[in-house]
Amino acid sequence: MTLALWCVLIAALLPYVPFGLAATKLNPLTPRLSAPALDGVPARAYGAHLNSFEAFPFFAAAVIVSHVVEGRSRTVGALAVLFILARLAHLAFYLSDRQPLRTTSFLIGLVISTVIFIHPAFH
Protein backbone atom coordinates (compact mmCIF):
# COMPACT_ATOMS: atom_id res chain seq x y z
CA MET A 1 0.00 0.00 0.00
CA THR A 2 1.39 3.38 -0.97
CA LEU A 3 1.65 6.54 1.12
CA ALA A 4 -0.93 8.22 -1.11
CA LEU A 5 -3.43 5.42 -0.49
CA TRP A 6 -2.88 5.72 3.26
CA CYS A 7 -3.65 9.42 2.86
CA VAL A 8 -6.94 8.47 1.19
CA LEU A 9 -7.84 6.51 4.33
CA ILE A 10 -6.90 9.48 6.54
CA ALA A 11 -8.95 11.82 4.35
CA ALA A 12 -11.91 9.42 4.58
CA LEU A 13 -11.75 9.51 8.39
CA LEU A 14 -11.03 13.23 8.72
CA PRO A 15 -14.71 14.34 8.54
CA TYR A 16 -15.37 12.61 11.84
CA VAL A 17 -12.83 14.69 13.76
CA PRO A 18 -14.82 17.95 13.79
CA PHE A 19 -18.11 16.09 14.09
CA GLY A 20 -17.21 15.23 17.69
CA LEU A 21 -17.33 18.94 18.55
CA ALA A 22 -20.70 19.43 16.87
CA ALA A 23 -22.24 16.18 18.13
CA THR A 24 -22.32 17.38 21.74
CA LYS A 25 -24.93 19.99 20.76
CA LEU A 26 -26.99 17.83 18.40
CA ASN A 27 -30.11 15.91 19.31
CA PRO A 28 -28.99 12.26 18.94
CA LEU A 29 -32.45 11.21 17.78
CA THR A 30 -32.60 13.77 14.95
CA PRO A 31 -29.09 15.17 14.42
CA ARG A 32 -29.73 16.53 10.92
CA LEU A 33 -32.84 18.38 12.03
CA SER A 34 -31.03 20.01 14.95
CA ALA A 35 -27.95 21.05 12.92
CA PRO A 36 -29.43 24.38 11.72
CA ALA A 37 -29.85 25.47 15.36
CA LEU A 38 -26.10 25.20 16.04
CA ASP A 39 -24.05 28.34 16.56
CA GLY A 40 -20.46 29.26 17.37
CA VAL A 41 -17.81 26.53 17.39
CA PRO A 42 -20.31 23.64 17.09
CA ALA A 43 -21.80 25.24 13.95
CA ARG A 44 -18.35 25.74 12.44
CA ALA A 45 -17.39 22.17 13.39
CA TYR A 46 -20.47 20.85 11.62
CA GLY A 47 -19.59 22.97 8.58
CA ALA A 48 -16.03 21.62 8.62
CA HIS A 49 -17.46 18.10 8.89
CA LEU A 50 -19.58 18.59 5.76
CA ASN A 51 -16.78 20.33 3.87
CA SER A 52 -14.44 17.42 4.56
CA PHE A 53 -16.96 15.10 2.93
CA GLU A 54 -17.13 17.45 -0.06
CA ALA A 55 -13.34 17.54 -0.55
CA PHE A 56 -12.82 13.80 -0.18
CA PRO A 57 -14.27 12.33 -3.44
CA PHE A 58 -12.11 14.36 -5.81
CA PHE A 59 -8.95 13.67 -3.79
CA ALA A 60 -9.68 9.93 -3.60
CA ALA A 61 -10.48 9.75 -7.32
CA ALA A 62 -7.30 11.68 -8.16
CA VAL A 63 -5.12 9.29 -6.16
CA ILE A 64 -6.81 6.21 -7.60
CA VAL A 65 -6.59 7.50 -11.18
CA SER A 66 -2.94 8.37 -10.65
CA HIS A 67 -2.22 4.88 -9.31
CA VAL A 68 -4.09 3.16 -12.14
CA VAL A 69 -2.38 5.18 -14.86
CA GLU A 70 1.11 5.59 -13.41
CA GLY A 71 1.46 3.26 -10.46
CA ARG A 72 3.51 4.07 -7.38
CA SER A 73 4.84 7.63 -7.38
CA ARG A 74 6.84 9.46 -4.73
CA THR A 75 5.57 12.75 -6.11
CA VAL A 76 1.94 11.70 -5.65
CA GLY A 77 2.74 10.43 -2.16
CA ALA A 78 4.25 13.79 -1.21
CA LEU A 79 1.33 15.66 -2.73
CA ALA A 80 -1.14 13.46 -0.85
CA VAL A 81 0.59 14.30 2.43
CA LEU A 82 0.41 17.99 1.52
CA PHE A 83 -3.31 17.55 0.82
CA ILE A 84 -3.83 16.12 4.32
CA LEU A 85 -1.86 19.01 5.83
CA ALA A 86 -3.95 21.51 3.85
CA ARG A 87 -7.14 19.84 5.07
CA LEU A 88 -5.92 19.90 8.69
CA ALA A 89 -5.14 23.60 8.28
CA HIS A 90 -8.60 24.10 6.76
CA LEU A 91 -10.15 22.39 9.77
CA ALA A 92 -8.18 24.57 12.20
CA PHE A 93 -9.05 27.75 10.30
CA TYR A 94 -12.71 26.72 10.07
CA LEU A 95 -12.98 26.07 13.82
CA SER A 96 -11.16 29.30 14.71
CA ASP A 97 -13.27 31.32 12.22
CA ARG A 98 -10.23 32.55 10.29
CA GLN A 99 -11.10 33.90 6.86
CA PRO A 100 -9.51 34.17 4.28
CA LEU A 101 -7.11 31.49 5.57
CA ARG A 102 -9.91 28.92 5.53
CA THR A 103 -10.66 29.55 1.87
CA THR A 104 -6.97 29.63 1.00
CA SER A 105 -6.32 26.24 2.59
CA PHE A 106 -9.38 24.82 0.80
CA LEU A 107 -8.08 26.10 -2.54
CA ILE A 108 -4.61 24.68 -1.84
CA GLY A 109 -6.18 21.25 -1.27
CA LEU A 110 -8.21 21.59 -4.47
CA VAL A 111 -5.12 22.52 -6.49
CA ILE A 112 -3.19 19.61 -4.98
CA SER A 113 -5.98 17.17 -5.93
CA THR A 114 -5.98 18.57 -9.45
CA VAL A 115 -2.20 18.20 -9.75
CA ILE A 116 -2.40 14.60 -8.49
CA PHE A 117 -5.09 13.87 -11.07
CA ILE A 118 -3.15 15.28 -14.05
CA HIS A 119 0.34 14.23 -12.87
CA PRO A 120 0.39 10.96 -14.87
CA ALA A 121 -0.26 12.88 -18.10
CA PHE A 122 3.20 14.43 -17.84
CA HIS A 123 5.16 11.22 -17.28
Side-chain angles (χ1 to χ4, degrees), residues 6-89:
W6 283 111
C7 287
V8 170
L9 175 62
I10 293 167
L13 297 175
L14 201 54
Y16 301 101
V17 173
F19 186 74
L21 295 171
T24 60
K25 302 292 182 182
L26 293 173
N27 178 344
L29 299 177
T30 57
R32 291 179 191 221
L33 293 177
S34 57
L38 295 173
D39 64 349
V41 173
R44 291 191 302 274
Y46 190 72
H49 164 73
L50 295 177
N51 187 272
S52 293
F53 278 126
E54 293 164 4
F56 173 72
F58 183 43
F59 170 68
V63 169
I64 292 166
V65 165
S66 177
H67 275 64
V68 167
V69 174
E70 184 180 14
R72 181 181 298 264
S73 168
R74 285 186 181 199
T75 302
V76 171
L79 288 168
V81 170
L82 289 176
F83 174 84
I84 295 299
L85 293 174
R87 292 305 304 170
L88 289 172

